Each structure stands twice: as C-alpha cells, then as structure tokens.
Amino acid sequence: MTLGIIFALTCGLLWAFIGVLYSTMARRRMQFFAVMGPAFIVTAIAAWVFLADYHTLFFGKTNGTASLAWLMIPSGILTVLGMVCMQTAMRRGHHAACWTIGQSALIAPYLCGVFFFGEPLLARKAFGVALILASLVAFGRARRKTETEEPANGGWGWLGLSIACLALLSIQQTLTTLPSHWPNWTDSLRLRVPLMFTGVALAYGSGALLTKQRPGRTELAISAGMVCISLPSHYCLYKAMDCLTESHMVGLVYPLAVGTCILGFALYSLVILKEKTTAFHALGVLIGIGGIILLSI
C-alpha cells in the first residue's frame, strides 16, 4: 500500500512539473508548437516502443482495436486543442487558477458514467462536482478583481479560455474512459496510451508545420523535459493503481495525484512566480482540490 501511495504522489509531482513547463512557455512567449511538436512525436514513438504488447497484437486474439483507435486518437487531438487554450490562458492571467480549472475536467467521466452507464450517484461525489463548479465561480470573482490582466483587444480573457480548456479536456477524458464500459474488454494490447499519444503527436506536429515554427535550443530543452516527464508520469499512475488494487484503494490514486499536482503548482505560482493572488484565487484552488478529492474517492 505504501508503495502505491508513493507512486501516486510521484505522479502528481511530475504532473506539477508539466504545469511548470507550460507556465515557462507562457511567460517567455515561446513558440508553443515548436516545443510540443518534437516533444510528443518522441513521446509517441517511445510509447509504441515500450508500452505496446506486440506479441499479443500479432499472435494473440485482439478485441476492439479499431474502435479503440477511433476513440483514442481523436482524444489526443482534443488534448492538444485544450492545452492550446491553456497556454493562451496562462499568457493572459493567473497561472495557478488556469491550471486548477483545466485539472477539474475529471468531473466529466463521472457524470458520463452516472447519466449513460448506470453508475450510482453518490452524495459525496455530487458534492465534489458542486465544489468544482463553485471554484469556477470563485475564479470568476477573482477575474473581476484583476481586470487589468484581461486582453485589451477584446479577445477572450484567461477565465474564458480556461473554461474552454476545461470543456475540451472533459470531452477528451470521457472518450478515454469509454472503453472501460465495453463488455468484456481489457487493454490486453496496452494500446490505449500509445494511440492517445499518436493523436497528440499528429496534432502538435501538424500545428508546427502549419505555423512554420522551428525549435531553437530553448524550445528543444523544454521539449526534452516534457518527454522525460510524460511517460514516467503515466508509468507511476498505472503502477499506483496496480499496487493499490489488492487493498481496494484504487480510488485514492487520482485524488492523491491530481491534488498533489495542483498543490505543487500552486506553491510554484506563489513562491517562484510570486503571482498576484487574491482571496478568491486561493479559495478557488482550495475548494477545487476539495471537490476533486471528493469526486475521486
């Protein structure tokens, strides 16, 4: 059990470092696709090399592989669209608030399970959803306290972009959980992650080509950091689930990981970035974390 908790906490810290990389790109106005294109092309290749079970794929019985691809590759593309919104939001507003709103997307798979797959509507989970929605209200109040952070050209402000990110990632996370509802389906080929990263790589690579962005030394350094974090974080996530299965504590994995991620990034925002933080920013982060924990346990 202790090892599983350590894996979950490590996953959360790695996700927090991913947030730091997004924040760095936003602050330095770096070419987004020049960083993310190379990073996720390499990550997708690594996922296919190290995660996919080729013996079963070529010699065993496969089940639903084509359907899985139709879900996971588009979900990867939606991930990119969501993170483009996140990156733009961070360039315009409070980084910790933007990150917390995006992480709140995990309400969508739960609501999908309740409304479409007959999962029970539990009081604590419903209250968790309510808290996450309340955190959006708090961030809305925080936006009014910091109107000078809004773009002068009349475009979308950081809150609207963060909510767009939330919507896109909500659809993405829902798609990735749908195979778990298929009768008698298991990811025996271990293709869910490689297929998702393939969609991510296709979208980021296309974005880099269309915008003609080319990475320099700094972009490649951030890309390398993203590669070094992405796959290990997924490894820790699934190892945590495996370690906690026998103790029937798998439900602890996401609240520990996401809560650690948000708290770690909030500390970075406060201590390193020294962002202007109002009481509503702090309240939004805290009740958002509370909602995520209640929703996930």
Side-chain angles (χ1 to χ4, degrees):
M1 183 180 77
T2 302
L3 186 60
I5 291 173
I6 291 172
F7 274 121
L9 293 175
T10 303
C11 175
L13 288 174
L14 290 171
W15 284 349
F17 278 116
I18 289 177
V20 170
L21 293 179
Y22 275 99
S23 175
T24 301
M25 287 186 284
R27 286 186 294 108
R28 296 187 179 184
R29 295 294 195 269
M30 296 173 67
Q31 297 185 98
F32 186 60
F33 290 109
V35 174
M36 305 304 281
F40 281 95
I41 289 172
V42 173
T43 301
I45 293 171
W48 280 103
V49 170
F50 294 110
L51 297 182
D53 183 349
Y54 289 102
H55 183 271
T56 305
L57 181 63
F58 291 116
F59 302 107
K61 183 179 179 181
T62 60
N63 181 24
T65 303
S67 298
L68 183 68
W70 279 107
L71 285 178
M72 299 307 297
I73 292 177
S75 79
I77 295 170
L78 287 171
T79 299
V80 173
L81 295 175
M83 299 317 291
V84 168
C85 290
M86 172 72 75
Q87 178 70 184
T88 309
M90 282 184 165
R91 295 188 180 196
R92 297 179 176 184
H94 197 280
H95 290 203
C98 296
W99 191 250
T100 302
I101 292 171
Q103 294 295 322
S104 299
L106 60 86
I107 64 174
Y110 170 67
L111 294 177
C112 178
V114 169
F115 289 118
F116 298 106
F117 296 103
E119 294 184 1
L121 179 63
L122 302 177
R124 68 174 183 277
K125 291 181 179 289
F127 186 53
V129 172
L131 284 179
I132 290 172
L133 295 177
S135 75
L136 300 183
V137 176
F139 288 132
R141 292 296 301 272
R143 182 188 63 81
R144 295 189 186 96
K145 295 284 185 179
T146 55
E147 287 290 345
T148 56
E149 297 177 13
E150 297 296 319
N153 62 4
W156 279 33
W158 67 265
L159 182 62
L161 286 161
S162 297
I163 292 175
C165 172
L166 169 63
L168 289 164
L169 294 185
S170 294
I171 298 171
Q172 178 263 327
Q173 291 191 19
T174 300
L175 289 179
T176 61
T177 59
L178 287 181
S180 298
H181 296 286
W182 293 345
N184 304 317
W185 182 86
T186 58
D187 192 14
S188 59
L189 304 180
R190 299 199 297 270
L191 292 181
R192 193 184 296 201
V193 173
L195 286 169
M196 188 197 71
F197 277 132
T198 296
V200 173
L202 286 172
Y204 276 133
S206 298
L209 289 174
L210 290 173
T211 58
K212 297 181 179 180
Q213 295 183 9
R214 298 293 182 268
R217 289 184 180 178
T218 305
E219 286 84 2
L220 288 175
I222 299 293
S223 291
M226 196 71 70
V227 172
C228 291
I229 294 172
S230 295
L231 278 183
S233 67
H234 279 80
Y235 173 81
C236 289
L237 177 69
Y238 296 122
K239 284 295 290 183
M241 292 180 180
D242 292 341
C243 291
L244 293 173
T245 297
E246 290 186 6
S247 303
H248 302 288
M249 298 177 65
V250 175
L252 281 177
V253 174
Y254 269 108
L256 282 174
V258 177
T260 302
C261 168
I262 293 175
L263 281 176
F265 189 83
L267 287 173
Y268 166 78
S269 167
L270 182 66
V271 176
I272 305 299
L273 296 184
K274 300 186 186 302
E275 284 192 289
K276 180 182 178 182
T277 300
T278 69
F280 286 109
H281 284 117
L283 180 64
V285 171
L286 289 175
I287 63 177
I289 291 172
I292 288 168
I293 291 173
L294 287 174
L295 185 63
S296 303
I297 60 177

